[in-house]
Amino acid sequence: MIPISVVKLDEAAERLAVEVIRSGVLAQGPMVARLERDFAEIVGVEHAVAVNNGTTALVAALEVLDLRPGDEVVTTPFTFVATLNAILEAGATARFADIRDDDFCLDPAALAEAVGPRTRVVLPVHLYGQAADMGAIVPLVRSHGLGLVEDTAQSLGATVDGRGAGSFGLGTFSLYATKNVTTGEGGMVTTDDAVLADRLRVLRNQGMRQRYQYEVAGHNYRMTDLQAALGIPQLAGYDETVKRRRDNAARLTAGLADVPGLRLPAELPGRAHVWHQYTVLVTEAAPVTRDEVAARLTEQGVGSGVYYPKVVYDYDCYREHPRVVADPAPVAERVARQCLSLPVHHHLADGDVDRVVEAVRKAVGA
């Protein structure tokens, strides 16, 4: 089976992990500080604050913006549920704007309609490795005096006009096992605002600036040095990781360009895609359904994934939730019925990419 993702760490990560074990400093320490410096450099910001996972990165970013009951955060409904859960955990109300189907991200026009008198924060999700249309979103946010939190869980290294995703507002990242860079579990918040960075560091450490000097009601959001040791070598080789993913995406696109009813992903002008996922749409024009394609790929030994099968508000636990405002999002709902991600990760061999192309063509009947 060619899997949709692979977790594979090299000897450099093993050496650093052993170094941490032998040092006796297992909790947050010098390795975390080193990871933060390297991460900030890739994103192009002054500060990176490591936390224990991507969801707490979102919660922490929202909390330092001082949201109050009744404040609304406008985001996309086509995302992993952590985006919504973080808004609710931060005490805010979630409202949704529809997406565009060319980048799978917030539609700036729909966002403009969703912003209202209770809106305090806009939360775009840079999905699948490509950033949202920040050239249109940032001016809208500024014109209304809103906070900006970027869910960049899948898009480390993506850029808009040369500027890193996660550098426009408070950037939040996931270092979960399947991400382009992983620490198993882990997250990061990025910012150029020194005041917010300081508040984040205090918040993640039980609200302590120094031992037993409590300044706020905080959390234990700390990352361990063992986790950081796994990520540092991956950051050092990240350019090569992205290059390999880009090459694989280009080969998939060349091999699938003429498949009937299959809409392929594209890197949009001015944006650099890091290809966390290669996600096609199996449209109504295809002779088979998305689920039939996925089943046929499995039979041929090729993994695939549906990210995501429903919009986040279309689950019982959120449908009647008092702080979830589920305005219709027809584009997102259609994309959720059609999307299918194919293997594009950097551990694929050239022959694997050829097998994926051949299997998809056969599954669709091309």
Side-chain angles (χ1 to χ4, degrees):
M1 176 69 72
I2 298 175
I4 186 68
S5 64
V6 170
V7 180
K8 187 183 296 184
L9 301 178
D10 62 13
E11 292 181 0
E14 183 178 343
R15 286 194 300 270
L16 279 186
V18 171
E19 181 180 325
V20 171
I21 292 168
R22 290 175 176 170
S23 75
V25 181
L26 303 184
Q28 181 178 299
M31 285 291 181
V32 169
R34 181 175 165 185
L35 181 74
E36 290 174 332
R37 289 193 298 270
D38 294 349
F39 208 96
E41 183 176 350
I42 287 179
V43 178
V45 293
E46 291 295 322
H47 306 279
V49 180
V51 292
N52 55 352
N53 61 62
T55 306
T56 53
L58 281 165
V59 175
L62 290 167
E63 283 197 13
V64 297
L65 295 179
D66 298 324
L67 294 173
R68 298 179 179 180
D71 288 344
E72 291 185 353
V73 177
V74 181
T75 191
T76 165
F78 189 63
T79 181
F80 183 54
V81 74
T83 310
L84 173 54
N85 285 340
I87 294 169
L88 299 177
E89 186 172 342
T93 295
R95 182 179 290 274
F96 302 99
D98 210 351
I99 66 170
R100 292 182 354 199
D101 62 3
D102 58 351
D103 64 3
F104 304 109
C105 300
L106 272 176
D107 181 345
L111 175 62
E113 294 182 2
V115 169
R118 292 184 177 273
T119 306
R120 283 289 310 282
V121 175
V122 169
L123 203 169
V125 177
H126 305 309
L127 202 63
Y128 298 147
Q130 182 162 230
D133 186 358
M134 301 307 287
I137 291 173
V138 170
L140 175 64
V141 168
R142 289 177 177 168
S143 69
H144 288 276
L146 304 175
L148 177 62
V149 174
E150 303 169 66
D151 185 337
T152 324
Q154 300 181 4
S155 300
L156 173 62
T159 62
V160 179
D161 295 327
R163 183 171 176 178
S167 71
F168 294 89
L170 279 165
T172 66
F173 295 80
S174 170
L175 298 173
Y176 180 66
T178 58
K179 297 300 188 288
N180 289 15
V181 170
T182 177
T183 57
E185 288 280 6
M188 197 75 70
V189 186
T190 56
T191 181
D192 281 322
D193 189 317
V195 173
L196 290 180
D198 180 68
R199 292 185 64 188
L200 286 162
R201 293 186 182 104
V202 171
L203 184 70
R204 75 174 171 187
N205 190 35
Q206 300 288 14
M208 291 189 292
R209 182 170 300 282
Q210 298 176 10
R211 191 165 180 82
Y212 303 129
Q213 179 185 334
Y214 302 103
E215 296 190 357
V216 296
H219 309 278
N220 179 0
Y221 285 169
R222 295 185 299 267
M223 177 186 281
T224 70
D225 261 23
L226 271 173
Q227 291 172 294
L230 303 181
I232 289 168
Q234 295 171 67
L235 291 181
Y238 193 54
D239 285 347
E240 182 58 32
T241 294
V242 173
K243 180 182 182 302
R244 184 64 185 174
R245 285 175 175 266
R246 291 175 64 90
D247 289 347
N248 290 343
R251 294 185 64 204
L252 288 171
T253 295
L256 299 174
D258 63 342
V259 176
L262 207 64
R263 181 168 176 178
L264 305 184
E267 182 177 72
L268 298 185
R271 304 189 221 178
H273 205 311
V274 296
W275 298 102
H276 173 63
Q277 298 290 352
Y278 185 94
T279 302
V280 303
L281 297 180
V282 183
T283 70
E284 295 91 342
V288 290
T289 67
R290 184 268 311 280
D291 293 343
E292 288 172 332
V293 173
R296 292 177 181 181
L297 289 177
T298 300
E299 291 172 357
Q300 297 179 74
V302 172
S304 62
V306 176
Y307 312 111
Y308 301 94
K310 293 184 179 181
V311 290
V312 289
Y313 55 71
D314 192 20
Y315 291 89
D316 290 344
C317 56
Y318 302 116
R319 210 171 274 123
E320 303 300 327
H321 197 291
R323 289 190 286 119
V324 175
V325 182
D327 296 324
V331 177
E333 291 175 7
R334 172 175 56 80
V335 168
R337 295 191 300 268
Q338 297 178 342
C339 64
L340 185 67
S341 294
L342 306 174
V344 73
H345 56 82
H346 53 289
H347 298 297
L348 290 172
D350 290 348
D352 293 333
V353 179
D354 293 338
R355 274 188 59 197
V356 173
V357 169
E358 180 181 355
V360 173
R361 296 184 68 88
K362 184 177 180 181
V364 180

